[in-house]
Amino acid sequence: MDRLGPGAGADCKRATDASARDALDRLTPFGWRGGVAVTLLLSLASFLIVGYFTVYWRNADMDFMVIYSALAMNDGGAQVFFDHPAYLTILSVKAWFGLLHRVGLLDVWTLSTMPSAADRAAFDASMISAVRAGRIAALLTAGGVILAFAVLARRLVSDWRIAMLAVVAFAWSGGVQMHLRILRSEMIAASFCVLALIILILAARRASVPRPLAIGLAALLCTLGLENKVHAILLIAAIPVLVVPFGTATSGSVAFWRTPQAWVAALLAVVLALAGAFIVWPLVAAGIDPANAAAAGLKPLLFGRFGAYQFALIGGIAIGMIVFARLWQVSAAETLAAMAAASAGATFGLLALDLSYDINNVVVVLNPLEKMITYVDAPEAAGSLSGAIGLLLSGVLGVIRRYTFILQSSARPTVFLTWLILPGIVLAWRRGERQVALQAALLMLAAIGIDTLGVRRGLKVEYFVFTDPLIIIAGMILLDRLVDLRLARFAYPIGVTLLVLHVGISQAEPVKMALKRRGPEEVCTWNGYYMPRLALPWCVPSNLPRT
């Protein structure tokens, strides 16, 4: 020890003490891969304990609706559920049932193979197998999303331990834990848009030659998300604003995009985008056609015509890309290529509607806000300016109450993160970390704004998947910059408390659903509409199938 110098012992002791006090080390004992594996295994255990074996009609809305459409489509029929429109969810369950049948694991995979409600025992057995197969599909979807989030989160921050905590927060958020055991449209829609946001943040931070391709991929994911749940339009509209402050000194275009060859690449991208637009235009025209929209029960939102705000949104996205380019030294050629790539990505996403074409899906996807207006608890008030302002203000108050958790509790553990994130934004600003403070503040504002509109639908636990990731990302980027907080005296106990609360509260809604005493009779209020060819044994004949 003497040969290392007189202060070496003290330095080693300080390093040891710092390591012992590092909350991140103590909160991530399994390492990166081990931590992800443990997170997935515990989610699987939760699914098996409270989810898979729950009575098959407990989450009939939307389990039955999705499964019925999948069974009908496997029988050569048409999709029945178009509300959200849950397009990808239904197609994935349809394919999943077909696969299970081919390998001999599912007998009832079409509507014609479903036993009659008159034979209660056979009907129950068949529905149990179909619903459980659907729940496994939901689990696999959620597991894939968690893994994708983990891969991108690891690249978003410099410290893998922060990324690991973010993965735990995401996987055990109220929305994800609910969605991994039920069939709902929000999981795919929200996750695709959130993954697109992270891809765009990563692309914004560091330039590269293929960066426009990343932007095209993000546009594709957002469009696919919209096709599963029209509420994704709110997050899509926020993304161009959220990405702008994530530029850095390495965001400026690389050398290739400042050469004459760059304009050739940009021109090719424009040609591809125009070709895609030409191919998809009949689909778009059909979706915004007044006759088709009216037949779907929609009314124009602006100027008495359909399609107005949709083109305004496209213009807003273009403006956001131009602003980013001007602020962070992106060349004109790369900006043009990026715009073309975004257009092409959205175009290819829309073409997915042709996989199982139905005009109802097209109309709903192309007119998302008109469809959303039909969901609000006071659609008449939403139709006037004063009424809309009143609804907005009441929504803001509702969100504030929920974020306090004390004034209105919910199965949403992520609200406890906001108690740290909001002071963290102030601390970062006071320390001169103005850019990260702005990034986190915009993410929080987007979460609050989207939740405010969600209040009009009760802000159910299923909707949390749209905004919880924004809160988690805000916490990630703050903690990544405020690195000294991990050594604070109370960092570890606060971290442990948050983890325990997070995991515990995330199970509140699944446990509540499993322990409910209410019977399946409420299904009879809508089964005739959403399941017209499938009689249910507990419903009176007047609510059984329509012919």
Side-chain angles (χ1 to χ4, degrees), residues 8 74 123 148 164 183 225 248 256 356 412 500 518:
N74 275 335
F123 180 89
M164 187 65 251
L183 291 169
T248 67
F256 170 80
S356 180
R412 187 179 193 178
V500 172
R518 190 170 55 193

Side-chain angles (χ1 to χ4, degrees), residues 420-430 436-438 440-441 444 478 482:
L420 298 178
I421 291 172
L422 296 178
I425 292 172
V426 175
L427 178 61
W429 186 272
R430 295 185 62 180
V436 73
L438 178 61
M444 290 301 302
L478 281 173
L482 305 176

Side-chain angles (χ1 to χ4, degrees), residues 132-150:
R132 287 181 176 175
R135 288 174 180 171
I136 292 175
L139 174 70
L140 293 175
T141 299
V145 169
I146 292 170
L147 284 175
F149 182 87

